[in-house]
Amino acid sequence: MLDERKQKILRITVKDYIESAQPVSSRVLAKKYHLGWSPATIRNEMADLEEAGYLIQPHTSAGRIPSDRGYRFYVDFLMDLEPLPQEDIEYINYSFSCPLSWENLLEQVAEVLSQRTSFVGVVLFPQLNSAFLKSIELVELRENVISLIMTTSTGVVKERIIKLSYSSQEFELYSIKEKLNKSFANKELQEVYWLLLQKKVPKNIPLEIYQGLEQLLWEVLEKEKEEGIFIAGISRIFKHLEFQDINKVKDLLSVLEEEKTLASLLFSAFLNHGLTILIGNEIGISELSDCSIITTIYSLRDSIIGALGMIGPKRMKYERMLTFVEVMGKVLSEKLSEIFEK
Amino acid sequence: MLDERKQKILRITVKDYIESAQPVSSRVLAKKYHLGWSPATIRNEMADLEEAGYLIQPHTSAGRIPSDRGYRFYVDFLMDLEPLPQEDIEYINYSFSCPLSWENLLEQVAEVLSQRTSFVGVVLFPQLNSAFLKSIELVELRENVISLIMTTSTGVVKERIIKLSYSSQEFELYSIKEKLNKSFANKELQEVYWLLLQKKVPKNIPLEIYQGLEQLLWEVLEKEKEEGIFIAGISRIFKHLEFQDINKVKDLLSVLEEEKTLASLLFSAFLNHGLTILIGNEIGISELSDCSIITTIYSLRDSIIGALGMIGPKRMKYERMLTFVEVMGKVLSEKLSEIFEK
DNA sequence: GTTTAGCAGTCATTAATAAGGAGTGCTAAA
DNA sequence: TTTAGCACTCCTTATTAATGACTGCTAAAC
């Protein structure tokens, strides 16, 4: 473990670098922060910190910058969380003062996450595994073509167009619908999906219809957890010094556009059940080695249904961002419950 | 009008610049293309073309590049359209060999547009103004909270969660639904919207429900034409020489992320009813002054319902791209009809 | 033992200069 | 009307030199 002086030096080194974006030199540290040690002493300590892997020297005659490990130590032990500034509180209140549909709400959360931070905001779609199937409707669009509509307990509606191989009568569709609802309504989606996979379906239902339902559930349960996200503020990353280099932007952008990668990051945050920070290579994606990700979860009626987060340069004000993301998770949960509760 | 020699020189100047990305000099033109005129002669002609606004000289001792006007003349009068290469045909067939839902289809079209061109592909959502309302369903999610689900004749389903101010009984919801369907089913969405605006609604329908329907229609008819698009391949633009400069990328990206701008460009293509090319400043957006946009429309059952297109650097192979976009419009129309027709 | 002043050495950054090359416009002759 | 020739312009690249910011190390001071 680091002794007190080393911790102090690491702390202000990280803080100063986050502030200034310049490698921090012993001279600056001694002069600017009145530590009471000479630059030479600090130099020795910094050399030790480098040896221990907390700091990095970009080149021989440069100051030092934090390594992933240095940031990690700072985040875990050295920083003081900041409360949300009044300004942000007001901005959030203002942004969510109008009632929104759930999709627009998620989108707006991503947007606000980005606007207040100039980073990229992301929100994972609600995961429906533990949602209930509320009802199934069948609507005839034209002869032989129907639309199967599924409503879930979270208010998410999914639909699929199905072609029938024979001409259907209206009363017939009605009875099929009744049968389906009788068998499946108010069961968990996951359960319904299993029942379908095991072919435990009511009799006399046309093959096309229960296949359609099965595919719809597959999309909702399997595919969306991999792909369903809102992203906002990609173009804001140009504001940051670390993304003035075309190649870095290129790398970052190709990852952000490949939504699957991001979705799976958020999905593991969702499984994690709490506030998470990943710094640089901890993310496990080489293109994001200059970035950090802060994620948290959101819930509806005490059950966690999704995740949200923020991607920015490693050199970010963690003490603020952490609070901000946490609050946004709470706000989203609250607003969602407002949509669904009286 | 330009005489034959000037046209010939303009033609190969544009072609050569598109190919090489280098300002074209009189010497190269004379040597590479065996025109039978000396560099000096060509120089004189090029000077005339510059004076007439078809060519631009980046600086005194450089060759010439086409101006917007030069590209325009080339596109309108000088180029020979190329048929779609076999390779592209196969790629398209392969990409659309699996059946897809209409959303995935649109997304895939945007993706293919981008993949085969390394440009940005865009597809406008189907415009529902002339679609019919097929049915309205009401599903109770919990006490006092219902979901209103509207199906349209194009198979698009839209829903909205509505809170009721009083406790509703199931049979009551059923009768409301029947009334709504009786009044509105099989009418054009636009007409239904007008009826609602004029408060020509059946009696004894709770205020919240018809307000919900009105808002839903507003979203579909007004908002989506401004916002609903699929974009694909943003990160591919880095492959092009013109986007190696961080500031250009920044500009382009901020426009692309602001989906409204793009959607309204596509929307006017939709109103245009055909294949459109906009070159550089013709687009009317300063950030896109180095880009060109090619758009066309797609249809379902003989009525035009949307638009699609491609954004790339001005220096693109128009003879190919035009064909490609045109074909993609046809493919999308075909595949859409496959979803809806037998 | 710990701290510090002093100094040599390293490396990035910037500016200045020079050399080379590509291409034009103009003139005068063919 | 076309073309050869030449002076001129401007971009690009390489080289060099000067500057400045830090560090690591050593030896002296506390």
Side-chain angles (χ1 to χ4, degrees):
Chain A
M1 194 62 177
L2 302 176
D3 65 41
E4 205 176 317
R5 188 164 73 185
K6 284 201 172 61
Q7 287 194 21
K8 198 162 182 181
I9 288 174
L10 179 56
R11 195 179 116 101
I12 53 178
T13 304
V14 174
K15 272 179 96 100
D16 192 272
Y17 179 66
I18 287 172
E19 191 71 40
S20 70
Q22 296 299 322
V24 185
S25 73
S26 55
R27 194 173 168 277
V28 167
L29 239 46
K31 246 196 156 167
K32 193 164 160 194
Y33 297 94
H34 314 102
L35 296 174
W37 307 301
S38 76
T41 311
I42 295 172
R43 255 199 309 278
N44 287 328
E45 295 288 39
M46 287 177 99
D48 289 352
L49 282 167
E50 183 173 3
E51 208 172 329
Y54 296 98
L55 294 178
I56 292 172
Q57 212 172 4
H59 57 86
T60 1
S61 69
R64 262 115 177 165
I65 63 174
S67 64
D68 286 1
R69 192 166 175 204
Y71 279 120
R72 169 56 61 194
F73 193 89
Y74 177 78
V75 165
D76 287 345
F77 302 113
L78 303 178
M79 76 177 178
D80 303 317
L81 275 179
E82 281 179 19
L84 202 63
Q86 189 57 32
E87 206 185 345
D88 281 353
I89 297 175
E90 277 162 22
Y91 191 86
I92 291 172
N93 284 338
Y94 173 74
S95 301
F96 297 101
S97 51
C98 303
L100 294 164
S101 70
W102 69 266
E103 285 109 328
N104 289 339
L105 176 61
L106 297 188
E107 205 172 352
Q108 177 79 337
V109 167
E111 186 59 34
V112 170
L113 270 168
S114 168
Q115 276 170 359
R116 295 306 294 175
T117 61
S118 292
F119 301 153
V120 176
V122 274
V123 180
L124 183 69
F125 283 9
Q127 300 297 305
L128 297 176
N129 295 59
S130 55
F132 289 79
L133 194 156
K134 209 64 205 181
S135 93
I136 292 171
E137 302 287 343
L138 300 174
V139 176
E140 184 172 40
L141 293 178
R142 65 187 58 257
E143 231 194 311
N144 300 347
V145 182
I146 62 171
S147 177
L148 183 150
I149 304 168
M150 177 179 79
T151 316
T152 70
S153 56
T154 59
V156 173
V157 173
K158 291 281 161 180
E159 123 287 347
R160 196 181 176 88
I161 291 162
I162 295 173
K163 285 189 247 175
L164 295 178
S165 50
Y166 66 100
S167 227
S168 62
Q169 303 298 316
E170 198 175 328
F171 70 90
E172 210 182 332
L173 275 184
Y174 187 80
S175 91
I176 294 173
K177 171 191 132 176
E178 290 288 293
K179 274 191 215 163
L180 287 172
N181 276 312
K182 211 165 170 185
S183 307
F184 298 137
N186 295 311
K187 288 200 164 82
E188 277 194 11
L189 293 185
Q190 191 66 61
E191 189 186 344
V192 175
Y193 186 50
W194 284 330
L195 289 173
L196 284 167
L197 288 180
Q198 294 163 42
K199 312 278 179 235
K200 289 188 182 162
V201 288
K203 283 178 187 167
N204 299 325
I205 303 272
L207 185 67
E208 294 102 331
I209 290 187
Y210 79 76
Q211 277 181 347
L213 184 57
E214 187 185 314
Q215 283 165 19
L216 200 57
L217 283 163
W218 174 80
E219 264 178 34
V220 167
L221 296 174
E222 301 298 328
K223 204 180 134 211
E224 273 204 359
K225 84 176 175 206
E226 286 176 2
E227 296 188 0
I229 54 173
F230 282 114
I231 303 184
I234 295 182
S235 60
R236 293 203 179 87
I237 55 170
F238 289 104
K239 291 193 182 165
H240 301 279
L241 284 173
E242 19 275 289
F243 300 108
Q244 298 301 78
D245 174 24
I246 193 95
N247 287 311
K248 281 192 187 169
V249 175
K250 188 175 160 184
D251 286 350
L252 182 55
L253 218 70
S254 60
V255 173
L256 293 180
E257 218 188 3
E258 173 76 53
E259 304 197 341
K260 273 186 200 169
T261 321
L262 225 49
S264 75
L265 279 172
L266 278 181
F267 188 72
S268 51
F270 165 72
L271 296 176
N272 262 358
H273 285 202
L275 199 58
T276 316
I277 304 183
L278 290 177
I279 297 165
N281 286 310
E282 291 174 6
I283 303 171
I285 300 171
S286 63
E287 287 90 345
L288 299 185
S289 61
D290 285 322
C291 297
S292 287
I293 297 188
I294 303 182
T295 50
T296 191
I297 43 88
Y298 65 90
S299 35
L300 179 63
R301 268 175 259 122
D302 300 331
S303 64
I304 295 167
I305 59 164
L308 69 158
M310 201 211 65
I311 305 175
K314 255 186 328 200
R315 193 181 65 76
M316 65 165 73
K317 298 196 172 167
Y318 292 95
E319 39 278 83
R320 277 202 190 183
M321 296 306 151
L322 218 62
T323 318
F324 190 70
V325 171
E326 195 173 18
V327 169
M328 287 305 291
K330 283 183 187 149
V331 169
L332 177 51
S333 304
E334 265 170 42
K335 294 290 164 186
L336 266 183
S337 81
E338 272 176 34
I339 293 182
F340 291 103
E341 319 286 347
K342 187 89 232 152
Chain B
M1 194 62 176
L2 302 176
D3 64 42
E4 204 177 322
R5 188 164 74 182
K6 285 203 173 58
Q7 286 194 22
K8 197 161 182 182
I9 288 174
L10 179 56
R11 195 178 115 101
I12 54 176
T13 304
V14 175
K15 273 181 96 101
D16 192 272
Y17 179 66
I18 287 172
E19 190 72 40
S20 70
Q22 296 299 322
V24 185
S25 73
S26 54
R27 192 171 170 280
V28 167
L29 239 46
K31 244 195 157 168
K32 194 164 156 192
Y33 297 94
H34 314 102
L35 296 175
W37 306 301
S38 78
T41 310
I42 295 171
R43 257 201 305 280
N44 286 328
E45 295 288 39
M46 288 177 99
D48 289 351
L49 283 167
E50 182 173 4
E51 210 171 328
Y54 297 98
L55 295 177
I56 292 173
Q57 212 174 4
H59 56 85
T60 0
S61 68
R64 262 115 178 166
I65 63 175
S67 65
D68 285 2
R69 192 165 175 204
Y71 279 120
R72 169 55 62 193
F73 193 88
Y74 177 77
V75 165
D76 287 345
F77 302 112
L78 303 177
M79 76 177 178
D80 304 316
L81 276 180
E82 282 180 19
L84 202 64
Q86 189 58 30
E87 206 187 345
D88 280 355
I89 297 176
E90 277 163 21
Y91 191 86
I92 292 173
N93 284 338
Y94 172 75
S95 301
F96 296 101
S97 51
C98 303
L100 295 163
S101 70
W102 68 268
E103 287 108 329
N104 289 339
L105 176 62
L106 296 189
E107 206 173 351
Q108 178 80 338
V109 167
E111 185 60 34
V112 170
L113 270 167
S114 168
Q115 276 170 0
R116 294 307 292 176
T117 61
S118 291
F119 301 154
V120 176
V122 275
V123 179
L124 185 69
F125 283 8
Q127 300 297 305
L128 297 177
N129 296 58
S130 54
F132 290 80
L133 195 157
K134 208 65 204 183
S135 94
I136 292 172
E137 303 287 341
L138 300 173
V139 175
E140 184 172 40
L141 294 177
R142 66 186 59 258
E143 230 193 312
N144 301 346
V145 182
I146 62 169
S147 178
L148 184 150
I149 304 168
M150 177 180 79
T151 315
T152 70
S153 57
T154 58
V156 173
V157 173
K158 290 281 162 180
E159 122 288 343
R160 197 180 175 87
I161 291 161
I162 294 172
K163 283 190 247 176
L164 295 177
S165 51
Y166 66 100
S167 227
S168 62
Q169 304 297 318
E170 197 175 328
F171 70 89
E172 211 182 329
L173 275 183
Y174 187 80
S175 90
I176 294 173
K177 172 191 130 177
E178 290 287 294
K179 275 190 218 165
L180 287 173
N181 277 312
K182 212 165 170 185
S183 307
F184 297 137
N186 296 312
K187 288 202 164 81
E188 276 194 10
L189 293 185
Q190 192 66 59
E191 188 187 345
V192 175
Y193 186 51
W194 284 331
L195 288 174
L196 283 168
L197 287 180
Q198 293 163 43
K199 311 281 178 231
K200 289 187 182 162
V201 287
K203 283 179 185 168
N204 297 325
I205 302 273
L207 185 67
E208 294 100 331
I209 288 186
Y210 81 77
Q211 278 182 345
L213 184 58
E214 188 186 314
Q215 284 166 19
L216 201 56
L217 282 164
W218 173 81
E219 264 179 36
V220 167
L221 296 174
E222 301 297 329
K223 205 181 131 208
E224 271 201 2
K225 85 176 175 205
E226 287 176 1
E227 297 188 358
I229 52 172
F230 283 114
I231 304 183
I234 295 181
S235 60
R236 292 201 179 87
I237 55 171
F238 288 103
K239 289 192 183 163
H240 301 278
L241 285 172
E242 19 276 289
F243 299 107
Q244 298 300 79
D245 175 23
I246 193 94
N247 286 312
K248 282 193 187 168
V249 176
K250 189 176 158 182
D251 286 350
L252 182 55
L253 218 70
S254 61
V255 174
L256 293 181
E257 217 188 3
E258 174 75 53
E259 304 197 340
K260 274 186 200 169
T261 320
L262 226 48
S264 75
L265 278 172
L266 279 181
F267 188 71
S268 49
F270 165 71
L271 296 177
N272 262 357
H273 284 202
L275 199 57
T276 315
I277 305 184
L278 289 177
I279 297 165
N281 286 310
E282 292 174 5
I283 303 172
I285 299 171
S286 62
E287 288 90 344
L288 299 185
S289 61
D290 284 323
C291 298
S292 286
I293 298 189
I294 303 181
T295 50
T296 190
I297 43 87
Y298 64 90
S299 35
L300 179 63
R301 267 174 261 124
D302 301 329
S303 65
I304 295 168
I305 59 165
L308 70 158
M310 201 212 64
I311 305 173
K314 250 181 338 195
R315 193 181 64 76
M316 65 165 74
K317 300 196 170 167
Y318 291 94
E319 39 277 86
R320 278 202 189 182
M321 295 306 150
L322 218 62
T323 317
F324 191 70
V325 170
E326 195 172 19
V327 169
M328 286 306 291
K330 284 185 187 147
V331 169
L332 176 51
S333 304
E334 266 171 40
K335 294 289 164 184
L336 266 183
S337 81
E338 272 176 34
I339 293 182
F340 290 102
E341 317 287 346
K342 187 89 233 151

